[in-house]
Every structure is written in structure tokens, then in C-alpha cells.
Amino acid sequence: MSHIQALLDAIGLGAVYGLMAVGIGLVFGVLRLVNFAYGQVIMLAAYMLVFTTGWPDVASILVAVLMAVFASLVMERVAFRRLRTSSPATMLVATFAISYLLQNLALLRYTYHSRPVGDSVGTLAGLINAVQIGSLHIRWITFVAIGTGLVSFTLLALLLKRTTIGLQMRAAAADFRTARLLGVRADTVIMTAVAISGVLAALAAVILAVSSTVVTYQTGLSETILVLVGVVVGGIDRLLSATLGGFAIGFATSFVGAELPNQGTTPFTSNQYLPSVIYIGVIVVLLLRPAGLFARRGQAPVERV
Amino acid sequence: MAETLLELAGLEVRYGGVAAVRDVSLQIAQGELVGLIGPNGAGKSTTLHAIMGVLPASSGDVLLRGRSLRGLKPETISRAGIALVPEGRRIYADFTVEETLRLGLVGRRDRDGAEADLAWIRELFPVIEEFRDRQAGTLSGGQQQQLAIARGLAAGPEVLLLDEPSLGLSPKLVDVVFEALTEIAKRGVAVLLVEQRAQRTVALADRTYVLSNGEIRMTLSPKDAGDTERIVSAYFA
């Protein structure tokens, strides 16, 4: 039965990473920008839960969402828009700079007052309790993560398929130059994609912060690195393959972590094995399918504008 | 005399130090079909890109109903009433035919008349109605070209620019496309057709400009269509 437990936990983490992958993939689609600072949007949203301690949960989450959207739009306006015609390397380095700037600003919160790093989160505290189903102990937050993932993916698919702005976003992601010739407004499409990615970052932030019960200046950082790896492994140039890649890396991390031998002393514990196993898997996938694990057959490795 | 919709006034476009298009002046009135032919590299596509704001004009002007379009973004120009059917069609392979038309509607200034335009487009290109739920990427080259023109028309443009719509099409499909262009002009749209098929274009268009080395060398009328020598001499002037 412990395998089923591991499986459900893995789906839960996969769903959160999938949300992040969609957020990263949407922005990549319209800007050809790999946003390394996505983790800090998550961090900012997570801090909003800390700052609104004592507020009703719904209000806290709403503030987190507003903060993530606001921070994303500011990043777009101040940095990404000016770099739109720059090389992918320039844009990536710029997002590194934003990422470290925000992390260090957050770190000041602790160093300035010489207090230990980390703030505890009380929002939705009931969700870390487990529900017992037979011999399984599943935390409520796992169900919330899976449900949030399913609802978000469905809404986004409807948005992209049924609405005019969705059509424009798809067109812009596939061929921005032609889209503009058809009257698609570049700024509107980019700001919409960035705002949606902000909402998804906030959802991921709430789930991550509630599960770990703590927020630090590094919240969202390691998750973003893993999701970026997952997105590349899945195939970054299509939203579906990027999302599946994000889900797969979350799923693999959780599942492999649970299944690896956990007895004995370092280095023979799962914590020590996990990154090696995951990255060996990543290397094998990239060697065998350079265009991405979920890329369409015959598709060439992605070429950038 | 029909109203002049699009006017190029002494248009010059430079790539670095080289002028790809020099002192191009022409006018297209409502309902006119005007051809622009010339050898490869003559500056035909560059002219279209300058009209659409993809390339900046270094001097001269592009005017729509007398209003300058200089410095405007491509999406603004598209929404002002000029549609481009780009070279190579640039169809979104993942979109269905219906979605492609809906995307075309984005360029409209207002929704008034959208349904009437779509009905007319479906009549003009029956293939659009027949394959409405098919993915555009699975259509044949000729069908994709018709879809690309339909997408441009869905924006309800006053001016339609076409960049080599006959490229890679069988003679029979070229007939279909060229007949459609006549119909489009009849509806009052000003059509500027850039083509490699010189003789057919000269025969079809109300008048045809020959562009060579970035400059307009000659203006031909349909009666010149049989005069191969004159067309060839214009190319190498």
C-alpha cells in the first residue's frame, strides 16, 4: 500500500510543478524568455501569506495572487519589455539578476534584524492534516494540489481554445510576426500571458507554503530549477509538452524519493541519491530525445527567434 | 473616380547603407487591382513590409486615406484597415480552419458586418466551409492559400496586400486564386498583388508596376500582357 501512498503524493507534487511549468511555458511562448525569476514571484506570493497572518484564508490567498500578478507585470514592464529584441542569453541573464536581487532583498528581512531565517505560515493550516483511507495517510493539501492542477489546466485549455485572447496567445506563441500582421496586439498578449503566469505562481506558492509551513528567501528557488529542467526535458516550445515535463519531474522527484532505500547512514539515504537519479534520467532523456520527451515525433530541437 | 485608399509617396527603405526600395510612388483606389512585379530581390516584399510597418521607411510616406502610417506598429496598421497575405501563407498549422478565420477577425476595427463578411468569404472559397473543422496544417497548398486570403479578408480590410499568392500552386489553382482576387476588388477592396508570374499579373490587374533594383521602371496595362518583349525589357532596365 505504501506504493499507492507514494503515487498519490507524487501526483500532488507533479500537479504543483505542472502549474509552475504552465506559468513558465506561457511566458516562454510569447516572449521566448526563460524566466528564472519565476521562483521569486512564488516567494513574494508566499510572503503575502506570512504578512496577512490572522486574516481570513480567502483574503490571504487573494493578496498572494494580487502580489504575484503585480510583481510579474512590473517585471515585464521594467525588464522584459526592454529586452524583447535581445538575445535569449541576455534575457536569461537578466532574469538571473532579478532572481538574486529579490532573494537578497528577502534575506535582508532576517539579517537586518539578526533573526533566524524563515517565517511560519498559518494559512489553511488544517490542510496539512492527513486523512486516513485504509492504511494510507494522505494530507488534504495533496488533494487540493491535484484538484487545483486539474481545474487550472482545464480553465487554461478552455481559454486557449475558446476565447479570442486565447487564440491570439496561441498565434503569438507559434509565430509572433505573423500574429502582429493580423492585428494581434503584442503588448496585450504578452501582459495577459504574464498575468496568468503570475496567478499560477500564486497558486503554486500557496500549496508549497502550506505544505512546508514555512517561507524563506529561498522558497520557490529549487522548485523553479527543477521545473525548468522538467520543462526543457518535456519540450519547451509547446505548452502541453512543457506542462507534462513539469508534471513528470515533480512526479519523479516525489516518487523516486519515496521509493529509494531510506535506511542507513549518509550517503546511503534517499536524500543523497535523489538528485543523482533524477539528473541521470534527465541526461538520458535529452540524449535520446533532444527535442523533448513529449515533443511530436520528427520535431527538430527548438529554434529561437 | 473612386477614392484613393493607399498611397506610397516617394517611399525609400534601406537595409543598412543600401536602399532596397527607392522613390516608389503609387496609388491604389477603392476597387482597384494593382500588380507589382519584378525580378527576385527587386524590392517587392520589402515594399509590402514597409507598408505594414515591419520595416521602417527611411524617407517618403505610406498613406491610408491620406493619413500617414509612418512609425505605426504592424498591429495598428492592420487594425487601420490593411491586411497582408504573407509570402509562404504563414498559416498556423495547429489551428482549425474555423479558428484561423476567428483569428482573422481580430484585425477588424469593429464587429459590424463581420457575419456578412464571413458569409461572403465562405461563398468565395467553398473549401473553407467544407473543411471548417480540419487542422489548417493538413490542407493542401492551394487550400492553405485560399485560407490565408480568407483570414486576411476576415479583418474586413480596405486594402489587401498579397505577397506571391501563386507560389507553388498548380495552374488550375492559380486560376482559382486570381479569380477570387477579381471578386475581392469588385467588392470595393483595393488590392495590391505582388507576383512573379508577370504575364498573368499584367493581364489580370488594372495596371501593373514593374519594380527593378528598388525602383519603378514601368507601368503596364492589361493590353501589354501579350507584349513579352516589353515586360522582359522592363525587368532588365
Side-chain angles (χ1 to χ4, degrees):
Chain A
M1 285 307 250
S2 70
H3 293 308
I4 296 175
Q5 172 109 34
L7 201 65
L8 274 170
D9 287 341
I11 294 172
L13 193 66
V16 180
Y17 283 18
L19 286 173
M20 293 170 62
V22 176
I24 290 169
L26 270 177
V27 171
F28 180 84
V30 294
L31 277 174
R32 293 295 184 261
L33 167 108
V34 176
N35 187 7
F36 189 78
Y38 198 63
Q40 285 58 57
V41 177
I42 290 174
M43 176 199 78
L44 285 171
Y47 269 116
M48 290 308 112
L49 301 183
V50 174
F51 296 158
T52 57
T53 299
W55 293 29
D57 290 339
V58 175
S60 287
I61 293 168
L62 194 64
V63 172
V65 170
L66 290 176
M67 181 65 200
V69 171
F70 174 73
S72 302
L73 289 175
V74 169
M75 270 186 211
E76 192 277 323
R77 191 69 190 82
V78 174
F80 303 163
R81 190 171 295 192
R82 290 161 203 270
L83 297 173
R84 238 180 248 176
T85 50
S86 309
S87 72
T90 308
M91 294 200 281
L92 181 62
V93 169
T95 70
F96 272 117
I98 297 169
S99 166
Y100 283 103
L101 174 71
L102 291 174
Q103 282 179 59
N104 282 292
L105 284 176
L107 182 60
L108 277 178
R109 176 172 164 77
Y110 309 105
T111 50
Y112 188 74
H113 297 291
S114 306
R115 58 187 192 84
V117 170
D119 289 274
S120 59
V121 174
T123 313
L124 299 172
L127 293 183
I128 43 175
N129 298 327
V131 55
Q132 188 162 359
I133 306 167
S135 63
L136 300 178
H137 292 271
I138 313 291
R139 296 197 303 168
W140 284 107
I141 191 72
T142 304
F143 292 116
V144 170
I146 297 170
T148 306
L150 286 175
V151 170
S152 305
F153 298 144
T154 308
L155 288 178
L156 194 74
L158 286 174
L159 177 94
L160 291 173
K161 195 79 187 159
R162 299 280 168 82
T163 68
T164 307
I165 187 72
L167 277 183
Q168 294 182 57
M169 283 165 65
R170 282 166 58 201
D175 177 354
F176 215 137
R177 185 168 148 155
T178 301
R180 294 184 73 178
L181 288 171
L182 296 174
V184 170
R185 288 196 175 103
D187 291 345
T188 310
V189 163
I190 288 171
M191 277 165 45
T192 307
V194 166
I196 295 174
S197 87
V199 173
L200 295 169
L203 296 179
V206 171
I207 296 168
L208 289 174
V210 169
S211 347
S212 70
T213 71
V214 67
V215 176
T216 78
Y217 68 101
Q218 288 186 316
T219 293
L221 179 64
S222 60
E223 290 87 350
T224 299
I225 295 172
L226 264 176
V227 170
L228 283 173
V229 170
V231 161
V232 170
V233 167
I236 192 163
D237 57 337
R238 278 199 314 146
L239 201 53
L240 181 65
S241 56
T243 309
L244 290 174
F247 177 84
I249 203 113
F251 183 89
T253 308
S254 176
F255 194 71
V256 173
E259 293 292 319
L260 279 175
N262 211 1
Q263 278 98 39
T265 52
T266 311
F268 302 108
T269 65
S270 76
N271 277 351
Q272 300 295 317
Y273 281 126
L274 186 58
S276 319
V277 173
I278 296 296
Y279 284 104
I280 286 171
V282 166
I283 291 167
V284 169
V285 167
L286 287 180
L287 283 175
L288 293 177
R289 298 201 52 140
L293 188 58
F294 303 107
R296 270 175 287 201
R297 201 162 288 279
Q299 188 176 321
V302 62
E303 192 180 313
R304 292 291 137 244
V305 284
Chain B
M1 181 83 189
E3 187 189 358
T4 297
L5 290 181
L6 182 72
E7 180 178 358
L8 307 187
L11 181 71
E12 180 176 287
V13 186
R14 306 183 75 89
Y15 288 112
V18 185
V21 168
R22 277 190 303 270
D23 196 27
V24 166
S25 296
L26 57 87
Q27 295 186 342
I28 310 173
Q30 194 170 27
E32 262 190 325
L33 203 170
V34 171
L36 185 62
I37 58 173
N40 273 332
K44 305 184 297 292
S45 294
T46 302
T47 304
L48 294 187
H49 286 151
I51 296 171
M52 290 308 294
V54 176
L55 291 170
S58 49
S59 74
D61 211 343
V62 178
L63 305 132
L64 178 66
R65 286 186 181 275
R67 218 187 95 218
S68 172
L69 301 176
R70 274 192 73 169
L72 297 182
K73 295 176 188 170
E75 55 262 45
T76 314
I77 292 172
S78 161
R79 284 167 186 255
I82 306 183
L84 170 68
V85 180
E87 186 180 353
R89 307 183 273 270
R90 295 278 172 187
I91 284 294
Y92 292 102
D94 284 347
F95 280 47
T96 64
V97 168
E98 193 61 25
E99 284 175 337
T100 307
L101 281 186
R102 275 173 55 210
L103 182 65
L105 292 173
V106 167
R108 292 187 82 86
R109 273 161 300 176
D110 53 58
R111 300 288 297 189
D112 291 349
E115 286 311 313
D117 278 358
L118 287 178
W120 169 64
I121 291 166
R122 292 196 167 102
E123 203 178 309
L124 191 62
F125 299 116
V127 78
I128 301 286
E129 186 58 26
E130 192 182 339
F131 296 123
R132 60 184 298 161
D133 295 320
R134 279 266 289 272
Q135 285 214 315
T138 65
L139 301 180
S140 73
Q143 291 163 343
Q144 286 190 13
Q145 187 60 63
Q146 293 175 60
L147 180 59
I149 299 172
R151 181 180 68 180
L153 291 173
E158 290 186 302
V159 179
L160 183 70
L161 315 174
L162 301 107
D163 200 349
E164 302 209 18
S166 78
L167 198 71
L169 301 191
S170 68
K172 205 176 142 199
L173 279 165
V174 176
D175 289 344
V176 172
V177 168
F178 276 30
E179 272 167 34
L181 296 184
T182 310
E183 288 301 312
I184 293 164
K186 268 192 203 156
R187 202 173 155 95
V189 178
V191 180
L192 178 59
L193 170 65
V194 160
E195 260 299 336
Q196 287 279 5
R197 292 177 201 254
Q199 228 158 359
R200 291 214 51 173
T201 305
V202 173
L204 177 82
D206 294 314
R207 62 180 178 285
T208 299
Y209 298 98
V210 184
L211 198 66
S212 183
N213 274 326
E215 288 177 88
I216 291 181
R217 305 285 170 148
M218 198 176 280
T219 309
L220 301 167
S221 67
K223 66 177 177 357
D224 297 316
D227 193 346
T228 320
E229 216 168 292
R230 192 168 144 84
I231 297 174
V232 170
S233 72
Y235 264 59
F236 297 105

